[in-house]
Amino acid sequence: MTMTITAFEASPDEGEGMARDMRVRWALEELGLPYDVRLLSFAAMKAPAHLALHPFGQIPTYEEGGLVLFESGSIILHLAERHAGLLPDDADKRARAITWMFAALNTVEPPIVECEAFMILERDRSWYRERLLMLQDRIRVRLGQLSDRLGAADWLDGPFDAGDLMMVMVLRRLEGWGILEEYPNLAAYVARGEARPAYRRAFADQRAVFEASQAGGSGEGENA
Amino acid sequence: MTMTITAFEASPDEGEGMARDMRVRWALEELGLPYDVRLLSFAAMKAPAHLALHPFGQIPTYEEGGLVLFESGSIILHLAERHAGLLPDDADKRARAITWMFAALNTVEPPIVECEAFMILERDRSWYRERLLMLQDRIRVRLGQLSDRLGAADWLDGPFDAGDLMMVMVLRRLEGWGILEEYPNLAAYVARGEARPAYRRAFADQRAVFEASQAGGSGEGENA
């Protein structure tokens, strides 16, 4: 059964792998699954054909036969439950790995995305400097707690799993901000994720899409 | 096997059912499962004993034998996967219901929680009025998209499931803001959720905890 995901035709992150298709690409590479990519312009993302797949007009989506999913967390959970490699076999350990997926998406990511949007949309406002420090401190609260939990371990709960994949991707959003480096064990954790061969393949694939968009390349891709 | 969740000893929402234990209580009531509640003071939530269960020092947690989970999304998914009543049997429908859980938590909730925190923490700042309108408009973008998808249906994707439970709970955070009412089908959707007998039992139980805290009551509860 062919699996097809959607991604930005011209990613606003300029090929840095911050767009959410990167998470799904990484999961597919960890699981060794081939997939197709359908690239979308910003206009196409808000058009009825795409809104029928994704009610919020975003990427990625996931199509497999008649099944259509959205939300990177849901897509990765779906893949990880059906293919070995990203979730432990033991039921309790599995539930704990899934807990870390939700923690990445609902507890750690929101203050980071809030600050990210603030830095883009409110840079010229009079309150920018004062609020930026506030928002960064809220991120530090979460990072401090996460750092305490990770301690000297390589991954959050035993071997690398879908929870680590999601947490590494969420923490990567902080690259270049100078905050993650205040927590050396978290910076090393992200580096360990980025060093995985599956991560590097996924990163190269999304990078190639951005480079093709700069060169005026075609809008379809395939990753095997 | 006894299931135990944690909740606020004195909920900051004053028994309005906005605290995240309410989501898990509702799920447990839908599934007809008895559970125990361990109530925590704010100090206890940040103490080492609780941080060992929940690295971010929040409620709810879930304990069942040796298993400890946190994150309301993960707890509800765990319960719904093991007990009939909150997820469809069909695999594709199940994956779509789980997609709505993630959409509630990672796409719809973050701008609402951002605005909620802003209203509490920055009410006295010079920028309050101007930013409040901006944040409310960002919420409207999501609500408009969700309203379009729901249309005239009772629930998001077939019969009521865990995705609806989570989405109703997230939308409930808007009660009293006057925004949800701009989308009559969403307001009716939330009202349908709140009318379910399981919701009402869960609401009454968390309410009783708040009322006991006002009366100087004990800190332990049991819900059968």
Side-chain angles (χ1 to χ4, degrees), chain A residues 20 23 46 50-58 64 66-75 77-78 81-82 91-96 98-110 114 117-118 121-122 125-127 130-131 134-135 138 141-143 145-146 149 167, chain B residues 20 23 46 50-58 64 66-75 77-78 81-82 91-96 98-110 114 117-118 121-122 125-127 130-131 134-135 138 141-143 145-146 149 167:
Chain A
R20 287 176 172 78
R23 304 169 175 184
K46 307 301 175 189
H50 187 64
L51 287 170
L53 305 182
H54 194 315
F56 301 103
Q58 300 174 324
E64 176 197 336
L67 176 64
V68 179
L69 301 177
F70 56 98
E71 291 287 331
S72 59
S74 173
I75 296 168
L77 182 60
H78 174 79
E81 280 182 334
R82 281 155 189 82
D92 281 6
K93 288 182 183 167
R94 210 172 172 91
R96 295 208 304 265
I98 293 169
T99 294
W100 281 113
M101 292 182 68
F102 279 100
L105 292 170
N106 200 234
T107 296
V108 180
E109 184 173 51
E114 178 182 345
F118 179 75
L121 300 172
E122 301 182 47
R125 302 299 188 125
S126 58
W127 55 73
E130 192 173 350
R131 283 203 87 243
M134 252 168 53
L135 296 182
R138 287 185 209 159
V141 172
R142 295 285 181 247
L143 295 186
Q145 292 163 325
L146 185 64
R149 170 55 69 104
M167 191 65 82
Chain B
R20 287 176 172 79
R23 306 170 175 184
K46 307 302 174 189
H50 188 63
L51 287 171
L53 305 182
H54 195 314
F56 302 103
Q58 299 174 325
E64 176 196 338
L67 176 65
V68 179
L69 301 178
F70 56 98
E71 291 286 332
S72 58
S74 173
I75 296 168
L77 181 59
H78 174 79
E81 281 183 332
R82 280 155 190 80
D92 281 6
K93 288 181 184 169
R94 210 173 171 90
R96 295 208 305 264
I98 293 169
T99 293
W100 282 112
M101 293 182 68
F102 279 99
L105 293 170
N106 199 234
T107 295
V108 180
E109 185 173 51
E114 178 181 347
F118 179 74
L121 300 172
E122 301 182 47
R125 303 299 186 125
S126 59
W127 56 73
E130 192 174 350
R131 283 203 86 244
M134 250 168 55
L135 296 182
R138 287 186 209 158
V141 172
R142 295 283 181 249
L143 295 186
Q145 292 163 325
L146 185 65
R149 171 54 69 106
M167 192 65 81

Side-chain angles (χ1 to χ4, degrees), chain A residues 141-160:
Chain A
V141 172
R142 295 285 181 247
L143 295 186
Q145 292 163 325
L146 185 64
S147 173
D148 287 348
R149 170 55 69 104
L150 179 64
D154 276 356
W155 307 111
L156 285 165
D157 193 351
F160 177 86

Side-chain angles (χ1 to χ4, degrees), chain B residues 8-22:
Chain B
F8 288 119
E9 188 174 83
S11 182
D13 73 353
E14 308 202 323
E16 290 302 316
M18 297 297 175
R20 287 176 172 79
D21 61 293
M22 175 64 199

